[in-house]
Amino acid sequence: MIKIVVDSKEASQAGKVVSNLKSLGTKLEIKPLDAGDYILSDELAAERKTVTDFVKTLMRRKLFEQVFALKEAYPNAFLIFEGYAPLIHRFSRIKPGAVWAAMFTLARHGIPIIPTLNQRETAQLLYSAARLEQTERKRTPRIHPVKKFKSLRDAQIYFISSLPGIGAERASSILERYGTPAKALDNIDSWPDEIDGIGLKTAEKARKILHSTSECG
């Protein structure tokens, strides 16, 4: 039997996802989770965001903190983008371009975004992913401890510092110079000229990590 661990708060808000998973024969374990909404294996977890949720967490600047923490705990984490995407245009306080930029930034840094139209499709996606993990890869769900960040800036520094040869101090300098991780990564070529302690080799290593295709096998 396929098993999925569901965050208790998510279960109360996504009743149709839960009921559809049950109808598919899924064994559900519902409990509070520090990160993620659905644990599908010891390596795979998912965060579900409706179109409205995605925009609201982006406006409150919590989106990257949540997703980066999940990615740290589960290397194959992904984001479910549920709903009718053009609804983004109804939000007057945020430009649609900012939403697409945020989605691209997540995808570029190894966090896939999978769209679904409704909770029924979300349940089908979750069941299929869990089945592949548990039957083909023999990996069972397991809750991992999650690194907690005191602030968005802590999450951003952690993210940048994970690149080879950077570290927290240089990551802080990079963010002070460029403002956001996305802008910093778009300007890697200028790091040796604008950031103390970063040379051409360090910038090249960071560039290679970001732009090379991973080798599987």
Side-chain angles (χ1 to χ4, degrees), residues 51-69:
V51 174
T52 302
D53 291 337
F54 189 94
V55 174
K56 287 182 177 179
T57 53
L58 181 59
M59 290 170 62
R60 293 196 299 264
R61 308 185 74 181
K62 292 184 177 180
L63 176 65
F64 292 106
E65 179 181 350
Q66 291 176 349
V67 179
F68 289 156

Side-chain angles (χ1 to χ4, degrees), residues 58 88-89 94-103:
L58 181 59
I88 290 170
H89 294 276
I94 190 167
K95 294 181 179 180
V99 177
W100 304 130
M103 295 176 73

Side-chain angles (χ1 to χ4, degrees), residues 24-66:
L24 290 168
T26 313
K27 179 182 179 181
L28 299 181
E29 182 179 347
I30 299 175
K31 59 175 53 181
L33 299 176
D34 289 333
D37 294 321
Y38 302 91
I39 309 302
L40 310 177
S41 79
D42 62 331
E43 291 188 346
L44 183 65
E47 177 81 14
R48 183 182 73 96
K49 295 290 187 189
T50 65
V51 174
T52 302
D53 291 337
F54 189 94
V55 174
K56 287 182 177 179
T57 53
L58 181 59
M59 290 170 62
R60 293 196 299 264
R61 308 185 74 181
K62 292 184 177 180
L63 176 65
F64 292 106
E65 179 181 350
Q66 291 176 349

Side-chain angles (χ1 to χ4, degrees), residues 42-45 70-78 109-112 144:
D42 62 331
E43 291 188 346
L44 183 65
L70 182 62
K71 178 70 173 178
E72 170 67 13
Y74 298 90
N76 298 323
F78 65 97
H109 300 306
I111 303 167
H144 290 182

Side-chain angles (χ1 to χ4, degrees), residues 23-211:
S23 69
L24 290 168
T26 313
K27 179 182 179 181
L28 299 181
E29 182 179 347
I30 299 175
K31 59 175 53 181
L33 299 176
D34 289 333
D37 294 321
Y38 302 91
I39 309 302
L40 310 177
S41 79
D42 62 331
E43 291 188 346
L44 183 65
E47 177 81 14
R48 183 182 73 96
K49 295 290 187 189
T50 65
V51 174
T52 302
D53 291 337
F54 189 94
V55 174
K56 287 182 177 179
T57 53
L58 181 59
M59 290 170 62
R60 293 196 299 264
R61 308 185 74 181
K62 292 184 177 180
L63 176 65
F64 292 106
E65 179 181 350
Q66 291 176 349
V67 179
F68 289 156
L70 182 62
K71 178 70 173 178
E72 170 67 13
Y74 298 90
N76 298 323
F78 65 97
L79 178 70
I80 299 171
F81 186 72
E82 181 185 286
Y84 184 57
L87 288 177
I88 290 170
H89 294 276
R90 292 187 179 181
F91 293 88
S92 59
R93 293 179 57 195
I94 190 167
K95 294 181 179 180
V99 177
W100 304 130
M103 295 176 73
F104 176 72
T105 299
L106 293 174
R108 184 174 60 181
H109 300 306
I111 303 167
I113 299 173
I114 303 178
T116 62
L117 285 176
N118 49 48
Q119 291 191 30
R120 179 173 174 272
E121 284 193 1
T122 295
Q124 292 172 338
L125 167 63
L126 290 167
Y127 178 82
S128 297
R131 181 173 56 82
L132 289 172
E133 285 288 290
Q134 296 172 34
T135 61
E136 294 189 8
R137 302 187 68 226
K138 309 301 181 184
R139 309 200 75 96
T140 57
R142 190 171 69 206
I143 300 173
H144 290 182
V146 175
K147 181 179 179 65
K148 294 184 178 181
F149 301 101
K150 295 181 180 178
S151 66
L152 172 64
R153 183 172 178 80
D154 288 338
Q156 292 174 327
I157 289 175
Y158 177 81
F159 173 64
I160 297 294
S161 67
S162 67
L163 293 169
I166 301 302
E169 185 175 346
R170 290 174 181 172
S172 180
S173 297
I174 289 170
L175 286 172
E176 286 178 6
R177 172 63 183 84
Y178 299 104
T180 68
K183 188 175 180 180
L185 296 175
D186 284 338
N187 289 277
I188 285 180
D189 291 338
S190 68
W191 289 5
D193 296 325
E194 300 187 353
I195 307 297
D196 289 339
I198 295 183
L200 292 172
K201 289 184 178 180
T202 299
E204 178 59 31
K205 288 180 181 178
R207 188 187 304 109
K208 185 176 181 180
I209 291 291
L210 294 170
H211 296 290

